[in-house]
């Protein structure tokens, strides 16, 4: 079949190619977050409750780094995936709260 493309039609848009620099920085940041979490637990010098708060904060930060750089959620066209992830987080949070109330009664 003959192609019906003319000179006035736009060529398909190409994705911007990222170099390895951002991935290397993200990898180093992920390793640094993991090392901080490990050092916090291994030291044993910090209060146990404060250690839990630090670990949860580092875990949330690690999730954002993973989603932004490795899963490319920072790019356009991932709206449906982000909505799905946020819906799942909302459902899990609701189930945890319901389970806590069920255990207390």
């Amino acid at each position: 079949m003959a192609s019906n493309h003319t000179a006035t039609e736009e060529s398909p848009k190409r994705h911007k190619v990222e170099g390895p620099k951002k991935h290397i920085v993200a990898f180093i940041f992920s390793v640094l977050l993991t090392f901080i979490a490990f050092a916090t637990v291994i030291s044993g010098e910090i209060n146990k409750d404060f250690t839990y708060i630090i670990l949860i904060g580092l875990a949330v930060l690690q999730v954002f780094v993973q989603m932004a750089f490795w899963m490319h959620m920072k790019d356009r066209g991932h709206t449906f995936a982000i909505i799905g992830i946020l819906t799942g987080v909302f459902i899990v949070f609701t189930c945890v709260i319901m389970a806590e109330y069920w255990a207390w009664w």
Side-chain angles (χ1 to χ4, degrees):
M1 272 192 172
S3 177
N4 292 332
H5 290 81
T6 61
T8 59
E9 289 184 23
E10 292 183 20
S11 62
K13 293 182 180 181
R14 295 186 180 189
H15 292 284
K16 183 179 176 185
V17 178
E18 290 183 5
K21 183 178 179 181
K22 289 184 180 180
H23 287 102
I24 292 170
V25 170
F27 177 72
I28 291 170
F29 192 59
S30 295
V31 169
L32 181 67
L33 288 172
T34 304
F35 177 74
I36 292 170
F38 181 73
T40 302
V41 173
I42 280 297
S43 71
E45 302 282 328
I46 301 173
N47 183 6
K48 192 175 184 180
D49 294 331
F50 189 63
T51 301
Y52 291 147
I53 293 170
I54 291 173
L55 290 178
I56 290 171
L58 289 172
V60 168
L61 192 59
Q62 184 80 271
V63 166
F64 284 125
V65 169
Q66 297 293 324
M67 286 183 12
F69 291 100
W70 301 114
M71 296 175 66
H72 300 283
M73 290 290 185
K74 66 185 183 319
D75 299 336
R76 289 185 175 191
H78 291 92
T79 307
F80 187 70
I82 292 171
I83 290 171
I85 289 170
L86 291 176
T87 302
V89 167
F90 177 74
I91 290 171
V92 167
F93 183 73
T94 304
C95 289
V96 168
I97 297 297
M98 289 170 54
E100 288 292 326
Y101 277 120
W102 185 21
W104 285 343
W105 290 65

